[in-house]
Amino acid sequence: IGPKFLFPGIGYGGSCFPKDVRALLHTAQQHGLDLPLVAATDRINERQKLVLFDKVLRHFAATESTDEQPLRGRTVALWGLSFKPETDDIREATAIALCERLVQAGATVRATDPVAMQNAERRLEGRVQLFADAYEAASGADALLLCTEWRQYRQPNFRRLRDLMRGVGIFDGRNIWDSEQLRELGLIYHGIGRR
């Protein structure tokens, strides 16, 4: 682990680290040990997976003050389905949890990923529209969520996105985009731990 895989954001996933953290906690409990830092890490990671959902909900609740379900009828584009770049692994991926939560809240989700589409399609069972092209996924969207920091998502054409999207909400789950650049284009930027 190091700067290659650790970015501020919406939590970690995958087949190893989450399982290993929970196994360490279980082993410690069997031996009567208390590992509060490890327990907090697991708890915070689960909470972090909902941070972007909460931001999206607040964004639309602010514009739809009379609607108790502000995501109903909204279209949300989501870039990146795998738990990290350079893999098709969606196990414990924050993006999958987000897709499910958004759909439950009444949103239409249009998602894309460079390599994890087949796995996501099996897991999401048609509840999410999947697109091979990131701009096509964003077309007509009320908001765009970045979940996985794939290289091809690092410097998109934001002018094109602004013209394709219906809304202006940009939710950067990995803090890789320049908030000032987006604001200058009239987009509303939401990062993680940023104003």
Side-chain angles (χ1 to χ4, degrees), residues 12 27 33 41 58 68 89-90 148-150 166:
Y12 59 80
T27 301
L33 297 172
T41 300
R58 282 193 308 271
E68 291 180 18
D89 194 345
I90 61 166
T148 312
E149 63 279 11
W150 284 93
R166 180 171 51 201

Side-chain angles (χ1 to χ4, degrees), residues 14-26:
S15 63
C16 298
F17 197 54
K19 173 181 57 75
D20 293 346
V21 167
R22 292 181 196 124
L24 180 59
L25 279 172
H26 180 72

Side-chain angles (χ1 to χ4, degrees), residues 5-162:
F5 295 112
L6 288 180
F7 294 91
I10 53 176
Y12 59 80
S15 63
C16 298
F17 197 54
K19 173 181 57 75
D20 293 346
V21 167
R22 292 181 196 124
L24 180 59
L25 279 172
H26 180 72
T27 301
Q29 289 169 350
Q30 287 180 322
H31 294 335
L33 297 172
D34 186 28
L35 299 177
L37 182 60
V38 177
T41 300
D42 186 51
R43 198 170 49 253
I44 290 167
N45 187 61
E46 289 306 306
R47 187 177 71 215
Q48 202 64 14
K49 289 181 178 184
L50 299 178
V51 164
L52 226 49
F53 176 80
D54 292 340
K55 286 178 180 281
V56 171
L57 199 58
R58 282 193 308 271
H59 173 80
F60 288 114
T63 60
E64 299 288 331
S65 58
T66 60
D67 194 346
E68 291 180 18
Q69 294 181 297
L71 296 182
R72 184 177 45 212
R74 296 290 185 170
T75 299
V76 177
L78 192 144
W79 285 6
L81 293 162
S82 59
F83 84 93
K84 69 177 185 180
E86 309 304 325
T87 184
D88 66 353
D89 194 345
I90 61 166
R91 288 175 285 183
E92 299 218 28
T94 299
I96 300 300
L98 267 169
C99 285
E100 291 170 343
R101 197 69 179 265
L102 288 163
V103 169
Q104 286 172 359
T108 298
V109 179
R110 298 168 58 93
T112 188
D113 187 280
V115 300
M117 300 278 275
Q118 194 171 28
N119 291 339
E121 186 173 32
R122 278 193 298 271
R123 172 72 185 275
L124 296 168
E125 300 173 328
R127 291 172 287 162
V128 170
Q129 298 171 16
L130 298 174
F131 295 85
D133 181 76
Y135 293 100
E136 189 178 351
S139 182
D142 296 297
L144 169 63
L145 282 63
L146 173 76
C147 294
T148 312
E149 63 279 11
W150 284 93
R151 186 173 54 251
Q152 49 266 64
Y153 301 155
R154 287 187 175 273
Q155 295 182 324
N157 183 334
F158 288 111
R159 287 184 193 283
R160 181 178 177 197
L161 276 172
R162 182 196 60 200

